[in-house]
Amino acid sequence: MTDLVERLVPDELWVLFRRVVPPTENRRPQGGGKRRAGDREALAAIVFVATSGCTWRQLPPVFGPCWQTVYRRFAQWSRERVWARLHRVVLDELGARGELDWSRCAIDSVSVRATKGLLTGPNPTDRGKSGSKIHLITDRNGLPLSLGISAANMHDSLGLEPLVRGIPPIRSRRGPRRRPAKLHGDKGYDYAHLRRWLRSRGIRHRIARKGIESSQRLGRHRWVVERTVSWLAGCRRLHRRYERKPEHFLAFVGIAPTLICHRRLTN
């Protein structure tokens, strides 16, 4: 195993990955054929594509499996929601150690340009060019708790309820938890029905009001989610959406926060 594979997929991440990846049969029923490429090498190649932004065809041969094999493994794991489960187990590890701060969570979104495909639409902030939007909720430290994707022309307010519902039950020292104590948002979420919905779930809110106050007043609490958006940009595959299939784009959106949370886990 090369040093690059071990650097991209350290032992701690590999142990967690093996907990969520479905078992595979290495032997063919008819016998013969090549030995199945290792999952760790394939995972390292996928992480390389996610972080470097290279195309599948540009994968260097150092990983072992060819790019077609890596892509098939990526597509298979995406169908089986491996990336969402991996993010969940990393969050569980952080929660068990008391590393998640639920006291002041923040919600935001970021738009990226996209080629044609499902869940794309004209971006109102980019001269109507086709794009997709990444929605996210972070804890007080900026660790991503829930993410989703939509067309770029979907209003931010429509993502709040699915994002909050999408927070999985995460381990903590006081038992599983999935609701923030308080949620901060900008004027894009300034709607009475959203405030009522948050209150009905026992979540306090701090949302900037249109025409009354500036979103900048929330800056001392919302800057963490804006910093997380810049962390997501470290996954270069998210700079522009090349995947026509939304589940493949969502897979990269799931890989990026997993790497962010894992760095906190190992620091």
Side-chain angles (χ1 to χ4, degrees):
M1 187 178 299
T2 66
D3 292 339
L4 180 59
V5 171
E6 293 181 347
R7 180 169 61 84
L8 292 173
V9 185
D11 292 339
E12 301 87 351
L13 181 60
W14 175 237
V15 169
L16 296 175
F17 182 79
R18 291 180 64 184
R19 288 168 49 183
V20 300
V21 68
T24 54
E25 179 60 54
N26 290 326
R27 295 178 60 185
R28 295 188 176 188
Q30 71 273 26
K34 286 186 177 181
R35 184 177 180 181
R36 184 177 185 275
D39 281 347
R40 188 167 184 176
E41 289 77 10
L43 176 60
I46 292 169
V47 172
F48 181 82
V49 170
T51 54
S52 70
C54 76
T55 67
W56 296 107
R57 293 177 182 270
Q58 291 174 329
L59 265 177
V62 66
F63 295 103
C66 63
W67 73 265
Q68 295 95 331
T69 298
V70 175
Y71 176 77
R72 284 194 297 268
R73 205 72 57 87
F74 168 80
Q76 174 192 351
W77 290 340
S78 299
R79 287 192 303 270
E80 295 167 345
R81 293 185 55 79
V82 167
W83 314 115
R85 295 205 299 269
L86 182 59
H87 183 210
R88 163 77 181 277
V89 298
V90 175
L91 286 174
D92 275 341
E93 292 295 321
L94 287 169
R97 299 184 186 184
E99 294 284 346
L100 296 178
D101 189 340
W102 295 84
S103 61
R104 291 182 184 272
C105 295
I107 185 171
D108 206 351
S109 69
V110 59
S111 296
V112 297
R113 289 189 181 181
T115 57
K116 293 181 179 180
L118 296 175
L119 295 185
T120 62
N123 187 346
T125 63
D126 191 16
R127 296 172 291 176
K129 293 185 177 180
S130 180
S132 291
K133 186 177 288 187
I134 301 172
H135 305 260
L136 70 158
I137 288 179
T138 70
D139 80 334
R140 190 169 188 169
N141 299 315
L143 297 174
L145 300 175
S146 178
L147 295 98
I149 62 173
S150 72
N153 57 337
M154 191 187 94
H155 198 275
D156 285 353
S157 62
L158 299 177
L160 186 145
E161 292 185 25
L163 276 182
V164 174
R165 288 195 182 102
I167 300 175
I170 300 171
R171 292 169 56 192
S172 72
R173 292 175 176 175
R174 297 182 179 180
R177 180 164 185 174
R178 62 184 308 172
R179 295 181 185 177
K182 192 173 186 178
L183 185 64
H184 290 255
D186 60 20
K187 296 179 183 179
Y189 307 95
D190 180 25
Y191 291 91
H193 72 277
L194 293 180
R195 288 186 166 88
R196 288 194 299 268
W197 186 83
L198 289 171
R199 284 196 298 268
S200 71
R201 299 178 68 86
I203 302 173
R204 293 179 294 130
H205 53 76
R206 181 69 173 88
I207 299 173
R209 296 182 181 273
K210 300 174 185 176
I212 298 178
E213 58 186 322
S214 169
S215 296
Q216 294 178 353
R217 293 187 59 185
L218 298 174
R220 61 196 180 106
H221 298 303
R222 285 192 64 257
W223 70 271
V224 292
V225 70
E226 295 168 354
R227 182 185 61 181
T228 304
V229 169
S230 69
W231 287 347
L232 291 177
C235 184
R236 294 182 179 273
R237 192 72 181 203
L238 298 182
H239 286 191
R240 186 184 182 103
R241 176 181 166 181
Y242 296 100
E243 293 73 30
R244 289 180 176 266
K245 294 183 178 180
E247 59 267 27
H248 288 179
F249 181 58
L250 183 61
F252 284 119
V253 172
I255 291 171
T258 298
L259 298 177
I260 291 171
C261 292
H262 184 260
R263 284 198 295 269
R264 170 61 67 90
L265 190 63
T266 54
N267 286 343

